[in-house]
Amino acid sequence: PTYSARSYVWGDPTSADGILLDGHPFQATKNLADGLRALTKILPKLTPDQNLADFRLWVDAVCINQEDHVEPNHEVARMGSIYPSALSVLAWLG
């Protein structure tokens, strides 16, 4: 499936903000939460011909289990192909 990737500055890892992902609570860094909220405001302009329900976004902090010490090491090695394979890369510097 096609997807976009989110590139962002993590910010202070101790500054968390609760967000909902598909109706489920998720603790994100404040900078990531701010970036995702900003994205919801501009996304309809970026994909006017696409149903937003079909929009797929890859975000490392969401897609990689940060609690597992093995998975992040494995997935970070794959990032060299994740970003180039994305339909677009949306950057957020905060």
Side-chain angles (χ1 to χ4, degrees):
T2 59
Y3 63 94
S4 291
R6 185 63 155 174
S7 177
Y8 64 100
V9 176
W10 272 60
D12 181 357
T14 63
S15 177
D17 193 356
I19 59 174
L20 290 177
L21 298 175
D22 285 335
H24 301 281
F26 182 84
Q27 287 296 309
T29 63
K30 180 167 179 4
N31 198 46
L32 173 57
D34 290 346
L36 291 174
R37 288 185 185 109
L39 183 59
T40 63
K41 294 175 185 170
I42 66 164
L43 197 55
K45 296 173 187 151
L46 295 175
T47 58
D49 59 338
Q50 184 178 14
N51 180 346
L52 292 181
D54 296 332
F55 184 77
R56 290 181 178 90
L57 183 65
W58 185 91
V59 179
D60 60 353
V62 176
C63 296
I64 299 172
N65 180 357
Q66 303 298 316
E67 302 297 319
D68 182 333
H69 297 291
V70 175
E71 184 175 345
N73 292 334
H74 173 73
E75 294 298 319
V76 166
R78 294 182 56 212
M79 287 174 127
S81 65
I82 290 172
Y83 285 101
S85 298
L87 179 65
S88 62
V89 177
L90 307 164
W92 174 258
L93 300 178

